[in-house]
Amino acid sequence: FGATYYIRPDGGTHKICDGTADVAAPGTNGHCAWSHPFEALPPGGKPRIKGGDTLIIKQGTYTMGRIPGVYDKDSGYLKCYYRWSYSCRTSPIPSGPDKDHPTRILGEGWDTGCKNPPILQGKGKAYAILDLTNSSNVEVQCLDITDMESCGINYRGEDASLKCSNLNPSEGGYGDYALHGIFSGTTKKPYNTSSNVLLKNLKIHGMASSGITAAHITDWNLEDLVITKNAKAGFNGDVPPSKGENDGFFGTITFYNVEVGWSGCIEDHKTGKILKCYDQQMGGYGDGIGTGPTQNGSWVFENVSVHHNTSDGIDLLYMELASKPQVKMKKVHVEGNSGNGIKVGGSLWLENSTVIGNCDYWFDKPFSDNIIRCRGAGAALVIIDTNLSKHYIINNTFTGEAAAIITVSSRDGTPQNFHNYFYNNLLQGMPRFNEPTAHSDWMYAWKIDLENTLTNKYWLVYNAGRLHRYNLCNTEGTICNRDPKLKLIDPKNDKFDLHISSDRSAAVGRGMKAGTLIGYWGKDDEEVRIPTVDKDGNPRKGKTCYGAYERIKGSKGSIEINKISKLK
């Protein structure tokens, strides 16, 4: 269904080539590839591909912005005039006719592992590399999306060379940076209608603002993505105006095999190293994944690592302003975020995850530009209870160094018809970042009737403060102050491995039986059971271990340690 078009560095313009053949210009009778994505999706113009077509971009580096003599005012591209070169970006991708016939933008190798994707490299303050505003039934796969400059938008630090506003090349234009990797949104009515979008095998890094900025979207799937070292945010779901009506998320938003890290950091576009990291008090933002009010969408996270962001890791707090939203997280790893690790306002199902609240990671780091220490109290997990919300927190491992590792609260006036269920979790405290002689409290609750809204069963809590709170040590199956013998918790050197290191650990073989039904969750009343596999995919049999991992000899190790791009 649909036609197939090609982009390759030795192709030609639309005046020479029709884009239909994977050959260099001039081809035969004009049947040759185009030379640039702008030939298919001209800035400010009508796309030359139609909904349901496939555009294959061959390996190479493509400058996404104004190119004098090629894509400028004199070449007929008025949006690429140097005084407003920020408008020199692709036209929105045309929508496919239906879910089964999407418009596809594919980098070469998309079907063979995407080992050497084509590079789309922004310049001239281009607002975005790819535009998906009002684009529905679309696939974008196998691309390396970045820019040509090392700077952060609105950066107010001392290093003037990293301020995008100082970068003004010849002709009175703008620096060779771009703001967003992918943008999908509108700033006024009618709002964005993008739906049924697949983003797969993309690396989005080094943008002057955010890796992805998208709001008012429906049924987006993000799969096998690496979103790192973007100067303001990784995934920014807050598009102005930010009063609720524009920041909607509908249907299901899915993150599968996704890494979001080092948001708030300026990347050296030549070496890939981090130059400086900054947060809101220095003109930045810093959330790994953050939104405004999210309406009634469902969010799904599986095999996701959100780490070392200069504000919150996953901030879905404003779901509380919406109607029956829900978030399901399985096999998630959170670490090194300056604010809260996970913050949710809707019904949460959190399972087989490792949540490390080392919020003071950024203190005294040479690349940290005055980042707030443990912003927003720095809890590893924050749950905001709202009317009718129901939270299941099952087989997770927590640690942290803030005042409390887990915070549960409700808003003023919220009816107390919600419930929080904690089963089979493991928590080990650390010394508080600002009071090393005391340990982080295991939990803090605010404005909640705990007698009727909190169920604790089968906890293992060690080295944490205030264990008398909420009658923890007297709850069914709970073990207090016995060492779980985790492999490594070293906040001083920022090293963590939350696997169980010994068969003699108090966490082994004392948990709830695998497969036990413990409740029903969400809009569809899904069954909630003690998981039958752990975070690494190892089977849980009989009485399980507390926490995210079973104690299995010969285990290959944790997904997060093998995957995330640690700063060296």
Side-chain angles (χ1 to χ4, degrees):
F1 186 89
T4 298
Y5 295 89
Y6 298 89
I7 305 289
R8 48 188 285 167
D10 56 3
T13 69
H14 66 279
K15 297 178 181 179
I16 300 172
C17 298
D18 61 12
T20 61
D22 185 13
V23 298
T28 302
N29 297 324
H31 297 312
C32 47
W34 289 321
S35 60
H36 193 281
F38 283 175
E39 298 296 332
L41 302 166
K46 184 179 179 180
R48 297 188 178 101
I49 62 173
K50 297 179 181 179
D53 288 346
T54 296
L55 180 67
I56 297 178
I57 303 175
K58 306 291 283 189
Q59 290 174 355
T61 300
Y62 301 87
T63 299
M64 305 298 290
R66 177 179 173 273
I67 303 175
V70 183
Y71 300 112
D72 59 13
K73 178 183 177 182
D74 296 333
S75 304
Y77 291 84
L78 298 182
K79 291 289 184 180
C80 296
Y81 181 49
Y82 73 88
R83 291 192 182 277
W84 51 77
S85 63
Y86 45 81
S87 298
C88 190
R89 58 178 178 178
T90 61
S91 54
I93 298 171
S95 297
D98 54 54
K99 294 180 181 179
D100 296 325
H101 302 97
T103 306
R104 302 193 299 168
I105 311 298
L106 308 176
E108 182 179 9
W110 69 276
D111 54 347
T112 57
C114 192
K115 295 180 180 179
N116 187 24
I119 300 171
L120 305 186
Q121 198 170 40
K123 65 169 292 188
K125 200 183 177 181
Y127 192 74
I129 306 298
L130 291 178
D131 192 340
L132 273 73
T133 299
N134 297 324
S135 301
S136 297
N137 306 318
V138 168
E139 292 183 14
V140 180
Q141 298 195 42
C142 194
L143 297 171
D144 184 332
I145 297 174
T146 187
D147 70 2
M148 302 171 63
E149 193 61 83
S150 305
C151 72
I153 197 71
N154 298 330
Y155 171 67
R156 295 199 296 260
E158 295 181 357
D159 190 341
S161 68
L162 301 180
K163 299 179 181 180
C164 294
S165 58
N166 289 344
L167 302 173
N168 293 307
S170 60
E171 300 186 83
Y174 300 95
D176 290 337
Y177 64 94
L179 296 179
H180 310 283
I182 292 176
F183 179 80
S184 183
T186 54
T187 57
K188 59 183 179 180
K189 294 182 178 180
Y191 292 130
N192 186 29
T193 60
S194 176
S195 63
N196 300 315
V197 168
L198 171 64
L199 305 179
K200 185 174 182 180
N201 274 331
L202 304 179
K203 183 179 181 182
I204 307 174
H205 60 106
M207 307 309 300
S209 186
S210 300
I212 298 174
T213 296
H216 220 271
I217 61 176
T218 302
D219 292 329
W220 272 39
N221 290 282
L222 289 73
E223 183 176 341
D224 295 318
L225 265 60
V226 176
I227 307 172
T228 58
K229 304 172 191 173
N230 297 289
K232 292 205 76 172
F235 180 98
N236 181 6
D238 194 358
V239 176
S242 304
K243 296 180 180 179
E245 73 274 15
N246 189 30
D247 288 336
F249 293 83
F250 308 92
T252 302
I253 312 299
T254 301
F255 289 72
Y256 181 75
N257 284 344
V258 174
E259 176 190 356
V260 182
W262 307 110
S263 303
C265 295
I266 299 171
E267 180 186 49
D268 186 324
H269 73 284
K270 294 180 180 179
T271 67
K273 293 183 178 180
I274 288 174
L275 299 174
K276 281 289 182 181
C277 301
Y278 64 116
D279 63 5
Q280 292 184 28
Q281 69 178 357
M282 298 299 289
Y285 177 23
D287 275 1
I289 299 169
T291 73
T294 65
Q295 305 297 336
N296 62 357
S298 298
W299 296 70
V300 176
F301 298 81
E302 185 170 354
N303 290 340
V304 172
S305 175
V306 182
H307 64 93
H308 300 96
N309 301 288
T310 64
S311 188
D312 296 323
I314 301 174
D315 183 0
L316 297 176
L317 173 66
Y318 299 101
M319 300 185 79
E320 63 181 323
L321 305 180
S323 172
K324 297 183 180 179
Q326 59 187 48
V327 184
K328 183 185 291 185
M329 297 183 179
K330 295 187 177 183
K331 299 182 180 180
V332 170
H333 177 76
V334 175
E335 178 184 347
N337 301 290
S338 175
N340 304 122
I342 297 172
K343 188 158 56 176
V344 171
S347 291
L348 173 64
W349 179 343
L350 179 65
E351 176 183 303
N352 276 342
S353 295
T354 44
V355 188
I356 301 173
N358 57 326
C359 53
D360 205 33
Y361 166 84
W362 299 92
F363 181 65
D364 269 355
K365 293 291 191 299
F367 47 83
S368 174
D369 205 331
N370 199 30
I371 292 172
I372 297 172
R373 300 181 71 180
C374 292
R375 180 183 178 275
L381 173 65
V382 175
I383 297 173
I384 306 296
D385 281 304
T386 54
N387 191 26
L388 301 178
S389 62
K390 188 182 292 185
H391 310 282
Y392 283 93
I393 316 300
I394 316 156
N395 276 103
N396 305 287
T397 303
F398 299 96
T399 188
E401 60 184 347
I405 296 171
I406 298 172
T407 298
V408 181
S409 64
S410 69
R411 292 294 189 186
D412 292 337
T414 299
Q416 301 279 300
N417 53 347
F418 47 74
H419 208 94
N420 301 278
Y421 298 92
F422 289 82
Y423 294 93
N424 250 31
N425 297 289
L426 190 159
L427 183 149
Q428 179 167 331
M430 295 190 287
R432 294 188 186 185
F433 77 95
N434 57 352
E435 191 180 354
T437 58
H439 280 76
S440 295
D441 295 345
W442 79 280
M443 178 185 282
Y444 174 74
W446 183 65
K447 294 187 177 180
I448 287 181
D449 176 8
L450 293 175
E451 185 176 345
N452 296 311
T453 62
L454 180 63
T455 297
N456 282 320
K457 289 186 178 182
Y458 289 85
W459 272 99
L460 192 157
V461 180
Y462 175 69
N463 234 15
R466 305 288 180 91
L467 297 187
H468 64 279
R469 276 182 172 170
Y470 323 127
N471 198 32
L472 174 68
C473 298
N474 294 324
T475 58
E476 181 183 351
T478 295
I479 300 173
C480 288
N481 280 331
R482 290 189 61 186
D483 189 351
K485 300 185 184 302
L486 302 183
K487 285 189 175 180
L488 181 64
I489 293 183
D490 182 3
K492 184 177 180 179
N493 294 299
D494 302 303
K495 294 181 179 180
F496 301 89
D497 185 341
L498 304 187
H499 285 82
I500 299 168
S501 65
S502 170
D503 295 337
R504 296 183 178 182
S505 164
V508 174
R510 291 181 172 89
M512 297 180 73
K513 187 177 179 180
T516 300
L517 177 66
I518 55 177
Y520 299 87
W521 177 85
K523 300 172 185 177
D524 299 323
D525 285 330
E526 293 182 64
E527 289 187 347
V528 184
R529 296 179 180 272
I530 298 299
T532 56
V533 296
D534 72 355
K535 188 174 186 293
D536 286 339
N538 297 311
R540 297 184 187 268
K541 297 180 180 180
K543 287 192 172 182
T544 60
C545 292
Y546 297 91
Y549 300 113
E550 288 295 298
R551 169 62 184 168
I552 296 178
K553 296 180 180 179
S555 176
K556 294 181 180 179
S558 62
I559 295 172
E560 68 270 13
I561 290 177
N562 293 333
K563 183 176 181 181
I564 66 174
S565 53
K566 293 280 191 179
L567 179 64
K568 296 182 180 180

